[in-house]
Amino acid sequence: MTQVIGDSAPITIILQRWSATLNITTASSTLYGQSISIYKGSDLVGTTAFDNSGSASFTVHLSGTYKAVCTYDGYPFSTGDIAVTQETAYSATITYFAATLAITTT
């Protein structure tokens, strides 16, 4: 796009769409279908969800540090920090763990 402002020389602006993909997986079928919140720092930038095989993806348009968080039964499970520095695909995993403890007294 070229823009002429007043009597000055033309200014050419090149618009490029920068993008990187966050591929998020889980091995826990408990999280299949659950919503995932994507944060850049403390700012929510969007949501996605795990499909029925435990995969999800989200496209970001700025470099920076991201985190994917899935909340289940009131507890957050996250990927930890994902440092996005270039246009490529990044992989991260959310792990869910549940246990039942039985206490026996004698």
Side-chain angles (χ1 to χ4, degrees), residues 36-39 43-48 58:
I36 304 165
S37 298
I38 309 296
Y39 293 90
D43 297 328
L44 177 67
V45 295
T47 60
T48 186
F58 188 84

Side-chain angles (χ1 to χ4, degrees), residues 63-102:
S63 61
T65 302
Y66 291 84
K67 182 181 288 190
V69 180
C70 179
T71 301
Y72 180 75
D73 202 19
Y75 297 98
F77 299 91
S78 74
T79 59
D81 290 343
I82 306 165
V84 174
T85 58
Q86 54 188 306
E87 290 185 278
T88 191
Y90 295 84
S91 297
T93 301
I94 293 179
T95 303
Y96 169 80
F97 174 78
T100 302
L101 301 175

